[in-house]
Amino acid sequence: MSATLSLPPFRPAWHYWRGLLQPGWSPYGNTARLLRRAPAAVDSETLWLKPFRRLRDWQPGQHLTLGFELDGRRFQRSFTLVSLPGERELAITVRKVAGGRFAEWLARARDGERLTISEPWGGLRFALPQASQRLLMAAGSGITAAMAQVRAAAARGQLAGLALAYWVRERAEACFLEELQALQARFPDFRFRLFLTGDAPQSAHEAAGRLEAGLLPALPASPEGAEVLACGPAGFVARVEALLRGAAARIATESFTPPLLRLPEAPEANVTLHLRRSGRALSIPAGTPLLAALEAAGLSPPHGCRQGLCGRCACAKAEGVHLDLRDDSVHPEASTALKLCISAARSDLVIDL
Ligand SMILES: Cc1cc2nc3c(=O)[nH]c(=O)nc-3n(C[C@H](O)[C@H](O)[C@H](O)COP(=O)(O)OP(=O)(O)OC[C@H]3O[C@@H](n4cnc5c(N)ncnc54)[C@H](O)[C@@H]3O)c2cc1C
Ligand code: FES
């Protein structure tokens, strides 16, 4: 039998004493306690969290970035709040990605465990008060963004003119099914359809098939003139935009999977990354996302979405040329804030870290 030894991350002594005197305090900001958890689908769980400090006002559909420690390293991941502003407890629903670090943390976590939490940020929202039809389109864990809108509309008693189309492979992977069916039974003006790509449909609210032009008549509401919010993997939201552009009055999308970054095909020569605040200099391969390069060097700079969305990894650049890996654009200008997760060095860089 083999055992792995992992050392806890280094902390100054005053962090330890302050944490003892004020449970819930963290040098990384606000924290939350894991109160309880329950299965939401075959591969998903809902977690209820109690924040140490109240969050500032937020909107349904906004995200929270959680910080956690696994094997002595700190990680951050973002999740959409599925509880409503004003509720005492915060809720998130997490699909456990095989081999994922948060999934691994969750497998070991006990009730009472503490995480750091950001203030809520970003999020999809409806913006056209005059739209008579609002259509939510969700695939996989993108359902959390849609569910936040459904719950907010239900709480206001405004489900009329709202429709939800939700794609999963198998029925057992679908979250919130009972709640959605109960809402549909109670409010006939709320229309919901579950699209299955791997199971056969069994009831009136189910249909089969991937999102493509031929499936549009099966949507629970016509996209013509509708305001559409879509959330899911990058390929899914791209298809929503391609199919409904021209028909919908407005489309807003969000993807939970990292964007495809244009990484070099062969390893590039090393450059020097100077970290101004800590006075360190690292030799890193040009063309590698700076966040990944810093993590490979054992550092844990603040970050959230790893997709260029949340801005939590933004860092001032004092000198050097960097590349935006999403579109290959080159940025020689100094005193620009770059996002570590989607930027790579093109020359030696000096950044404010
Ligand atoms: C704004 C935002 C909101 C989000 N909201 C939610 C939410 O409400 N519920 C939820 O379950 N997730 C949500 N996510 C995704 C979540 O932040 C994590 O990326 C996801 O839980 C995987 O984290 P991990 O640490 O377990 O996996 P990681 O250790 O990051 O990744 C492990 C492996 O899984 C792959 N992978 C990573 N993320 C995904 C993914 N989303 N789908 C498929 N494969 C993936 C990676 O390529 C990698 O190979 C959101 C992401 C963003 C940016
Ligand atoms: S981690 Fe969110 S923008 Fe980089």
Side-chain angles (χ1 to χ4, degrees):
M1 201 172 80
S2 71
T4 49
L5 176 69
S6 64
L7 296 173
F10 169 77
R11 289 192 186 87
W14 71 272
H15 285 177
Y16 171 79
W17 291 110
R18 174 128 191 229
L20 274 192
L21 290 171
Q22 200 179 6
W25 177 87
S26 156
Y28 304 108
N30 199 6
T31 62
R33 195 155 49 86
L34 175 60
L35 291 178
R36 61 187 189 286
R37 52 206 274 188
V42 69
D43 55 356
S44 303
E45 274 188 44
T46 296
L47 315 183
W48 284 269
L49 308 169
K50 184 152 194 321
F52 176 59
R53 251 189 297 109
R54 259 178 72 100
L55 302 182
R56 63 164 157 68
D57 285 347
W58 53 279
Q59 298 294 318
Q62 289 204 283
H63 317 296
L64 210 57
T65 299
L66 306 183
F68 58 98
E69 276 171 20
L70 188 68
D71 296 334
R73 287 189 61 193
R74 272 184 62 74
F75 297 94
Q76 297 182 59
R77 295 291 183 269
S78 302
F79 296 95
T80 308
L81 285 156
V82 291
S83 49
L84 293 179
E87 288 180 347
R88 263 191 44 237
E89 298 170 359
L90 306 172
I92 57 171
T93 296
V94 178
R95 192 169 75 82
K96 294 175 277 185
V97 174
R101 277 124 180 180
F102 188 75
E104 179 62 33
W105 178 87
L106 204 50
R108 302 182 200 173
R110 305 230 164 105
D111 289 354
E113 197 105 25
R114 277 201 184 274
L115 299 136
T116 60
I117 54 168
S118 68
E119 287 294 329
W121 59 271
L124 287 176
R125 67 193 67 172
F126 290 111
L128 300 181
Q130 74 280 14
S132 56
Q133 183 63 59
R134 292 169 298 153
L135 176 59
L136 295 163
M137 298 177 75
S141 53
I143 187 60
T144 54
M147 200 59 197
Q149 298 300 334
V150 170
R151 285 181 170 164
R156 291 193 306 266
Q158 290 175 351
L159 280 168
L162 186 68
L164 167 63
Y166 176 19
W167 275 262
V168 287
R169 206 157 35 92
E170 291 165 13
R171 191 176 298 100
E173 294 168 1
C175 298
F176 313 117
L177 259 195
E178 277 182 24
E179 184 176 343
L180 288 167
Q181 284 163 1
L183 282 172
Q184 199 179 31
R186 226 172 110 212
F187 303 99
D189 286 337
F190 168 60
R191 275 168 286 160
F192 160 57
R193 181 153 291 167
L194 182 70
F195 290 89
L196 300 159
T197 57
D199 262 351
Q202 285 179 354
S203 62
H205 76 266
E206 292 182 353
R210 293 182 176 280
L211 177 60
E212 54 196 12
L215 203 78
L216 294 184
L219 289 178
S222 164
E224 203 65 47
E227 184 173 14
V228 178
L229 303 187
C231 189
F236 172 80
V237 299
R239 214 164 318 138
V240 170
E241 284 183 352
L243 288 171
L244 304 190
R245 199 184 306 127
R250 172 177 176 256
I251 306 176
T253 64
E254 207 168 51
S255 172
F256 289 174
T257 40
L260 283 178
L261 300 182
R262 296 167 195 232
L263 299 175
E265 277 164 23
E268 293 192 356
N270 274 23
V271 293
T272 307
L273 180 64
H274 297 273
L275 309 181
R276 203 155 61 165
R277 271 191 268 159
S278 60
R280 290 185 64 176
L282 306 172
S283 176
I284 62 162
T288 303
L290 294 171
L291 179 59
L294 288 160
E295 287 176 335
L299 303 179
S300 299
H303 64 275
C305 65
R306 306 183 83 91
Q307 312 198 20
L309 290 176
C310 70
R312 288 176 62 80
C313 67
C315 183
K317 179 185 78 175
E319 275 173 42
V321 183
H322 78 271
L323 203 62
D324 185 323
L325 291 164
R326 293 169 300 182
D327 57 8
D328 265 351
S329 55
V330 178
H331 299 268
E333 58 290 14
S335 63
T336 310
L338 52 71
K339 290 177 179 168
L340 296 171
C341 62
I342 44 98
S343 305
R346 232 334 176 46
S347 70
D348 290 351
L349 286 185
V350 182
I351 60 171
D352 200 15
L353 200 69

